[in-house]
Amino acid sequence: MILPKLSCGQAGLLAATLFFAHGYSAFAASKGLVAYSQASTENEWRVLNTKEMEKAFKDAGYDFTWTNANADPSKQLSDIQDLLARKPVLLVLAPVEYEPLAPVPKMAQTANVPLLVVDRAIPGTPGKDGWIAMVTIDYVDTGERIAKDIVATLTKKNGKPAGKLLHVTGTTGASPVLDEQKGIDNVLKQYPDIKIVASCDGRYQREVGRMCTEDLLQSFQKGQIDGIIYDNDDEMMGGLSAIESQGRDELIGYLWGKDGTVDGLTAILNGRMSLTVQTPPFFGTTAVKTWEAYKRDGKIDPPLVFVDKESFDAHTPEHRARVIQRIEELKRLGVGCCYLNPEGSDWVQWLPYTGSGFRTALAQ
């Protein structure tokens, strides 16, 4: 085909049109495709985790694609097959559960694609067994922090470290659930008069947490239970609604959560919850640094990379002030907003507290 001869002005106009139609990436050399297998998007934590992961890799010069397993390990394995067929330079995996995702390292090795695991673990050892490293949070430490606060709070309540607890766990089989329980056990084994007497799988979801709490409270009447552990703040908020609707006010203030959400922090300020431990969703920047270091050095040492975190309570005026400060920090990041299309490439509706969008907040 013979192309028409363009004047300098026409050529410039065409170039500008192409630039704004397709973006700068159409002209810049990409470092390759990064594929992200996300466990689910059932809560804001996961949505923000995906968005920040996408932004971090795109800002670093990579193309990016991702899939949503909808909390189904079988679907996640199928998603990974599809992602590997696209020949990415890196596969990033946020596993739904521990054991069911054991085949992934072999799948990645067969496809000759490096594997980076984030958030939850899979069987094997980071840096060996087919995955280059793991970027996560020390959930054993999280469990220990929660248990230490339980000991202190029940000692103040009962005059000694004693009491009976319920536990609404996260998704059964997920590594954070296993590790957090290990941390709780590490501490509570030193206090045999504090016992977890019943548990329920809340699947890290508010409504399921509410139903679990309703069922558990029907088995234990007033005076039989001293508090409830929740594996995330969403479950706790659902459980709190069940506690209040059933008139179980004796449990208000004797609840423990995880994630440090705006709702959870507000519950601490209102005296409804004792403590929450932050679980930051922002793994993308660390994942990029880890991958770039692996490309440069051929290994990650140490291969287990922890994201920083913080505990929150209102036990002292200073701690209470920090909770208030943290809520404002989260509001500036847009956390706690409403959205209609968490799986889309952009927000369909953005209703932040401060008027700043997600992409603006992350760029700050």
Side-chain angles (χ1 to χ4, degrees), residues 65-96:
T65 189
W66 68 282
T67 53
N68 173 17
N70 289 320
D72 181 349
S74 297
K75 183 179 185 304
Q76 188 161 39
L77 289 174
S78 177
D79 288 345
I80 289 167
Q81 284 183 325
D82 293 340
L83 291 173
L84 291 174
R86 299 185 62 176
K87 305 296 184 185
V89 295
L90 175 69
L91 173 65
V92 183
L93 168 66
V96 173

Side-chain angles (χ1 to χ4, degrees), residues 4-25:
K5 191 171 182 179
L6 300 177
S7 68
C8 290
Q10 289 173 321
L13 179 61
L14 176 60
T17 301
L18 289 172
F19 181 91
F20 288 108
H22 300 288
Y24 175 74
S25 61

Side-chain angles (χ1 to χ4, degrees), residues 249-280:
D249 293 346
E250 80 279 9
L251 295 171
I252 300 297
Y254 298 100
L255 309 176
W256 292 268
K258 175 172 69 65
D259 284 355
T261 66
V262 170
D263 282 344
L265 295 170
T266 303
I268 287 175
L269 291 180
N270 293 339
R272 289 182 166 90
M273 183 164 66
S274 181
L275 174 134
T276 186
V277 181
Q278 181 188 43
T279 307

Side-chain angles (χ1 to χ4, degrees), residues 28-300:
S30 169
K31 294 181 179 179
L33 176 66
V34 171
Y36 185 34
S37 175
Q38 175 62 278
S40 65
T41 55
E42 81 274 7
N43 55 44
E44 185 173 279
W45 192 97
R46 289 279 164 196
V47 175
L48 291 172
N49 172 266
T50 303
K51 291 295 180 179
E52 191 260 352
M53 186 74 70
E54 178 179 13
K55 183 180 188 304
F57 274 103
K58 283 186 173 180
D59 285 354
Y62 294 91
D63 293 325
F64 187 89
T65 189
W66 68 282
T67 53
N68 173 17
N70 289 320
D72 181 349
S74 297
K75 183 179 185 304
Q76 188 161 39
L77 289 174
S78 177
D79 288 345
I80 289 167
Q81 284 183 325
D82 293 340
L83 291 173
L84 291 174
R86 299 185 62 176
K87 305 296 184 185
V89 295
L90 175 69
L91 173 65
V92 183
L93 168 66
V96 173
E97 293 179 16
Y98 183 77
E99 290 289 351
L101 275 299
V104 175
K106 182 64 175 176
M107 294 167 63
Q109 283 182 319
T110 300
N112 197 30
V113 175
L115 171 65
L116 177 65
V117 179
V118 300
D119 185 27
R120 302 173 180 175
I122 57 176
T125 303
K128 303 177 182 177
D129 302 324
W131 35 311
I132 63 175
M134 180 174 181
V135 177
T136 187
I137 292 167
D138 188 343
Y139 290 106
V140 175
D141 173 75
T142 294
E144 290 175 348
R145 294 186 188 205
I146 291 167
K148 289 175 182 177
D149 191 77
I150 288 171
V151 172
T153 302
L154 293 186
T155 299
K156 184 176 180 180
K157 177 187 179 185
N158 297 326
K160 60 180 181 179
K164 294 180 179 178
L165 301 168
L166 303 175
H167 190 177
V168 178
T169 72
T171 305
T172 300
S175 65
V177 174
L178 302 174
D179 286 348
E180 184 175 339
Q181 186 64 59
K182 186 184 300 181
I184 292 171
D185 293 341
N186 286 347
V187 175
L188 294 190
K189 68 183 179 183
Q190 304 171 51
Y191 303 93
D193 290 334
I194 299 178
K195 302 181 185 298
I196 297 174
V197 296
S199 65
C200 177
D201 183 349
R203 300 195 65 79
Y204 289 122
Q205 296 177 32
R206 185 172 300 210
E207 179 60 17
V208 185
R210 182 191 65 79
M211 293 187 293
C212 273
T213 304
E214 284 184 348
D215 292 343
L216 289 169
L217 290 182
Q218 301 213 351
S219 301
F220 297 90
Q221 302 306 309
K222 284 187 178 182
Q224 294 183 313
I225 293 299
D226 292 279
I228 306 177
I229 304 168
Y230 292 92
D231 277 5
N232 79 349
D233 292 350
D234 265 6
E235 292 176 341
M236 187 281 304
M237 292 303 299
L240 186 58
S241 67
I243 290 167
E244 292 176 334
S245 67
Q246 293 189 27
R248 299 295 295 270
D249 293 346
E250 80 279 9
L251 295 171
I252 300 297
Y254 298 100
L255 309 176
W256 292 268
K258 175 172 69 65
D259 284 355
T261 66
V262 170
D263 282 344
L265 295 170
T266 303
I268 287 175
L269 291 180
N270 293 339
R272 289 182 166 90
M273 183 164 66
S274 181
L275 174 134
T276 186
V277 181
Q278 181 188 43
T279 307
F282 304 127
F283 290 178
T285 299
T286 304
V288 170
K289 290 179 179 177
T290 302
W291 169 234
E292 295 285 359
Y294 178 81
K295 288 200 302 180
R296 182 184 67 246
D297 302 329
K299 65 177 182 177
I300 303 298

